[in-house]
């Protein structure tokens, strides 16, 4: 225990701490680190926890500017692109979803569908740089995880159940 005792003692600011005091300090530090890590994991926008919602929105804006020739000015792009609005609102709703709120993000997502024609479940994980051009009828489900720099057009449905799952449900429901 001599060498191990010296190593343990050297890592603490007070070398005369008892073993119980050392254990309490270590336990408290690990608990604080665990709480901080849990908060970062649950309240961070996915898929990349280090990215802020605003940085993701900036990537969305940049993709629109690069790929759509009709966005000739700042104001046209800001005011006339409901697909962009839907993605931006989704970014904030997804943050609320990750923090454990369920009703409010779902309710607001339904209202955004009414205003934009795009339904994005708050649990969907969208990467940076998503652009929904001609946004009518786009549906993105809860299980969707996308990459970055994606352009979608009207009528796209992402997510849903597989055919094998649907068949198994039908078979078991009639048995």
């Amino acid at each position: 225990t001599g060498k191990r005792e010296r190593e343990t003692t050297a890592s603490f600011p007070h070398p005369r701490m008892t073993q119980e005091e050392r254990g309490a300090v270590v336990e408290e530090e690990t608990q604080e680190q665990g709480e901080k890590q849990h908060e970062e994991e649950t309240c961070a926008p996915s898929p990349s926890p280090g990215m802020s919602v605003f940085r993701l929105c900036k990537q969305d804006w940049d993709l629109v500017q690069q790929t759509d020739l009709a966005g000739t000015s700042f104001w046209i792009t800001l005011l006339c692109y409901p697909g962009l609005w839907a993605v931006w609102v989704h970014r904030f709703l997804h943050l609320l979803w990750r923090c454990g709120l369920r009703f409010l993000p779902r309710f607001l997502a339904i209202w955004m569908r009414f205003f934009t024609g795009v339904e994005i479940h708050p649990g969907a994980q969208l990467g940076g740089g998503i652009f929904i051009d001609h946004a009518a009828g786009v549906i993105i489900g809860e299980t969707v995880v996308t990459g970055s720099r994606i352009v979608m057009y009207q009528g796209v449905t992402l997510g849903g159940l597989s055919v094998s799952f649907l068949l198994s449900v039908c078979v078991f429901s009639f048995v």
Side-chain angles (χ1 to χ4, degrees), residues 121-134:
H121 191 283
Q125 299 177 27
L126 304 181
I130 304 293
F131 175 39
I132 304 172
D133 199 5
H134 307 286

Side-chain angles (χ1 to χ4, degrees), residues 13 20 23 98 118 123 145-146 157 168:
E20 290 175 4
R98 296 274 310 228
V118 177
V145 178
T146 70
T157 300
S168 67

Side-chain angles (χ1 to χ4, degrees), residues 12 17 20-36:
F12 288 95
M17 287 179 140
E20 290 175 4
E21 290 171 331
R22 288 184 196 136
V25 168
V26 169
E27 184 177 325
E28 186 177 311
E29 287 175 356
T30 11
Q31 184 177 4
E32 287 174 3
Q33 289 171 350
E35 289 172 358
K36 183 177 180 182

